[in-house]
Amino acid sequence: EKIILLASSNNQYKETLSKLTTKELIIHLLQSKARNMLLKETSSLSNVNQLAYAIDYIRKNQDKTITVDEVAEKAYMSKSTFHRHFKREVGITPSEFILMEKIKKAKFLLKSTTKSVSEIAYSLAFASSSQFIRHFKRLTGQTPLKFKQNGSSRNLNGIKN
């Protein structure tokens, strides 16, 4: 959008601004590619990248109560440094990521097992089934039971259905 506006303007700094906008776009694309690689290749990168190790740790421990302090410690970072790096590289906070991963796993379990909503909630270390239902509905737009009953196997990886 910025590039189109610049191209159609008569601004005297048009050339300089278009170069800067192009550089900004390239940086954004590179960050997106790095983010996608980090999220997809966590197992292979976990030995050499602290954030990949943290993501891998979160994914392998969804059945436990995971705190940001704990994950930061595993990544050998202070909580504030970890939070800042994680948000910059992944695009969401560590707490949001932990919750999204648990909901992604819950969607899979709801579709592939006969476990009840309560069993799934407790297997993913939610404090209560009502807490789980509240988070699930906020992120997916429907309750876990409705999701299970719909029989929709669409988009098990994403959050919104």
Side-chain angles (χ1 to χ4, degrees):
E1 190 176 312
K2 279 185 185 178
I3 293 173
I4 293 169
L5 289 172
L6 281 171
S8 62
S9 75
N10 288 327
N11 190 325
Q12 64 180 341
Y13 303 109
K14 180 174 159 178
E15 187 177 329
T16 304
L17 289 172
S18 64
K19 285 180 183 178
L20 288 172
T21 303
T22 303
K23 286 180 182 180
E24 182 183 353
L25 178 62
I26 291 169
I27 289 168
H28 179 70
L29 290 170
L30 290 171
Q31 286 174 332
S32 294
K33 185 170 175 70
R35 179 180 301 126
N36 289 338
M37 188 175 87
L38 179 66
L39 291 172
K40 288 180 182 171
E41 306 294 327
T42 54
S43 295
S44 61
L45 293 173
S46 64
N47 290 330
V48 293
N49 183 297
Q50 292 166 298
L51 289 179
Y53 180 82
I55 290 167
D56 195 45
Y57 178 81
I58 291 166
R59 287 179 173 157
K60 288 179 177 174
N61 291 282
Q62 293 175 5
D63 60 331
K64 298 179 178 102
T65 301
I66 304 169
T67 65
V68 175
D69 286 334
E70 174 188 349
V71 181
E73 187 179 306
K74 298 285 183 190
Y76 298 102
M77 293 184 199
S78 71
K79 181 181 178 180
S80 59
T81 300
F82 175 71
H83 193 278
R84 186 175 60 254
H85 285 291
F86 196 96
K87 175 121 172 123
R88 185 185 67 220
E89 296 301 323
V90 181
I92 57 175
T93 67
S95 299
E96 291 169 326
F97 183 80
I98 291 167
L99 181 59
M100 289 174 73
E101 287 296 308
K102 286 182 182 253
I103 297 300
K104 189 188 311 181
K105 177 73 173 199
K107 289 171 81 172
F108 173 77
L109 293 171
L110 286 163
K111 292 297 178 189
S112 63
T113 69
T114 58
K115 287 184 176 183
S116 71
V117 170
S118 294
E119 289 173 314
I120 291 171
Y122 291 114
S123 74
L124 294 172
F126 283 92
S128 67
S129 56
S130 61
Q131 179 198 44
F132 167 66
I133 292 167
R134 189 173 54 255
H135 286 303
F136 191 96
K137 186 171 184 182
R138 183 173 55 84
L139 292 175
T140 67
Q142 59 186 331
T143 65
L145 189 57
K146 186 164 182 112
F147 179 84
K148 187 174 183 81
Q149 290 169 343
N150 281 342
S152 167
S153 60
R154 300 177 310 182
N155 199 8
L156 287 177
N157 291 325
I159 293 299
K160 288 284 183 192
N161 232 3

